[in-house]
Amino acid sequence: MRGSWLRRVVGSAQYKPMYSVLLLVLAVAALGVTLWTFRHWQATRSGLILFVLLPLPALPYELFVAGIGRWLGPGQTLLELSGLPILWWTLTLPLALFSVATLCRRVGFSWARLDWGHGAVCIVAVVLLLWKLPVIFTIKQLRLASWEDTVRYVPAVPVVPLSLWLVFGAFMLTGLGLWRRERWRWLALPLVVALVLLALPVAVVGPIPAYLGKVLGFVGMAGTAVHYGYRFTIRPDNSILKTF
């Protein structure tokens, strides 16, 4: 009798996915990473940290907007909110490559010690930024994308993912070099996982893995930037700031 009653209750219950809540949880985590990185940039004023920090605020904002889309619903409000992180990614994400160039040179990679090697990465960052600037004028060309209980607007043409792939790829290669040279694996590992998650088809698995990949990627980038930012920052009295 009890088993029959339990089956009726479970069978009559409607399953309501809460992926939107998961996006909000990721937004809180991303906000924590952003504030943590900002605090360490304030302590060091390191350019290495700064260029990783600049694109970071767009991540919790994007996750928050995607999370509340379920309750806002499709419409002009959600559309306008969705455009801001795309604009911010466009303007700041290529600048993270400056951190790659600086980090590789400070650590002592042979190619980065050459002016042309270090400069080439910086030129790629500038070219990528200039290439993506026209996106600012087409920022309203977004399409509605929904999956399970999530509702969001995404670019009609996937402009940001290309920049994200290039930046994450550059940091992953840098991380592999750091792992081999200095036994620092906390850049390569998160970036490898992040790229795998980003490669999963959104139409099949939904947006959660891609968002999780972004968070993991920036965790690795921020952690590494802070670690080496302290290592290569000099106080006014010429003493080195203590690294964590």
Side-chain angles (χ1 to χ4, degrees):
M1 178 69 69
R2 179 178 298 179
S4 177
W5 173 83
L6 182 60
R7 283 193 297 271
R8 287 199 302 270
V9 172
V10 174
S12 62
Q14 293 184 351
Y15 171 68
K16 296 181 179 180
M18 295 295 287
Y19 293 105
S20 295
V21 175
L22 182 56
L23 288 175
L24 294 176
V25 172
L26 288 176
V28 173
L31 179 61
V33 174
T34 303
L35 295 176
W36 178 81
T37 307
F38 177 74
R39 182 173 69 85
H40 287 292
W41 173 76
Q42 278 190 314
T44 62
R45 299 296 177 176
S46 168
L48 180 61
I49 300 175
L50 175 63
F51 289 116
V52 172
L53 173 64
L54 285 176
L56 257 176
L59 184 58
Y61 181 91
E62 181 182 17
L63 287 164
F64 176 74
V65 172
I68 64 174
R70 169 183 182 175
W71 292 277
L72 287 180
Q76 190 64 28
T77 300
L78 183 60
L79 178 63
E80 292 177 354
L81 290 174
S82 300
L84 183 57
I86 298 172
L87 174 62
W88 193 252
W89 287 125
T90 302
L91 294 175
T92 61
L93 193 56
L95 302 180
L97 292 176
F98 290 147
S99 289
V100 171
T102 301
L103 176 58
C104 291
R105 189 165 202 170
R106 294 286 182 86
V107 170
F109 291 149
S110 57
W111 66 267
R113 285 184 292 182
L114 301 173
D115 289 340
W116 66 264
H118 179 271
V121 177
C122 297
I123 291 173
V124 170
V126 174
V127 170
L128 185 60
L129 174 60
L130 294 177
W131 180 37
K132 294 301 181 183
L133 277 180
V135 174
I136 297 175
F137 304 102
T138 60
I139 201 68
K140 292 186 178 180
Q141 295 181 4
L142 303 177
R143 62 177 178 84
L144 183 65
S146 59
W147 186 82
E148 293 290 348
D149 68 324
T150 62
V151 178
R152 59 203 176 96
Y153 283 93
V154 298
V157 178
V159 289
V160 174
L162 177 59
S163 300
L164 193 66
W165 274 95
L166 290 175
V167 171
F168 274 20
F171 271 94
M172 185 199 69
L173 293 175
T174 302
L176 293 175
L178 291 175
W179 195 345
R180 180 180 179 183
R181 185 185 183 95
E182 302 208 342
R183 298 295 185 265
W184 177 263
R185 59 185 180 275
W186 303 115
L187 180 59
L189 289 179
L191 265 298
V192 168
V193 176
L195 289 172
V196 170
L197 291 174
L198 286 170
L200 297 177
V202 176
V204 177
V205 300
I208 304 297
Y211 282 127
L212 179 59
K214 287 183 181 180
V215 173
L216 289 176
F218 274 103
V219 165
M221 290 164 56
T224 300
V226 169
H227 176 76
Y228 285 96
Y230 274 93
R231 174 173 166 179
F232 297 125
T233 298
I234 302 177
R235 293 179 182 272
D237 60 0
N238 291 327
S239 63
I240 303 296
L241 286 173
K242 184 180 179 181
T243 187
F244 68 89

